[in-house]
Amino acid sequence: MSLSPFHLAIPVYDVALARTFYNDVFGLEEGRSSDHWVDFDFFGHQISLHLGEPFKTTRTGKVGDH
């Protein structure tokens, strides 16, 4: 089975902290970058971390008693 490469952009508050996490914890190889974004190779796909406000979420559902 062959999958088409994808590009996923994720907003982050702190590019340096996110860079450390994705590199050191996930072991992803860093690609191009600037002060405001960084790309990582995610098994042939691309993850881009961009400086910005992460998506707002609302607690909308329950699982069991939680």
Side-chain angles (χ1 to χ4, degrees), residues 34-51:
S34 79
D35 293 339
H36 304 287
W37 58 269
V38 59
D39 290 339
F40 285 97
D41 178 357
F42 185 72
F43 307 101
H45 305 285
Q46 184 182 56
I47 291 181
S48 295
L49 308 175
H50 296 263
L51 185 61

Side-chain angles (χ1 to χ4, degrees), residues 14 17-18 21 27 32 40 44 52 61 64:
D14 185 324
L17 183 62
F21 178 78
R32 300 177 307 148
F40 285 97

Side-chain angles (χ1 to χ4, degrees), residues 2-20:
S2 177
L3 298 175
S4 297
F6 66 82
H7 169 95
L8 177 63
I10 302 170
V12 297
Y13 284 122
D14 185 324
V15 172
L17 183 62
R19 170 186 270 132
T20 299

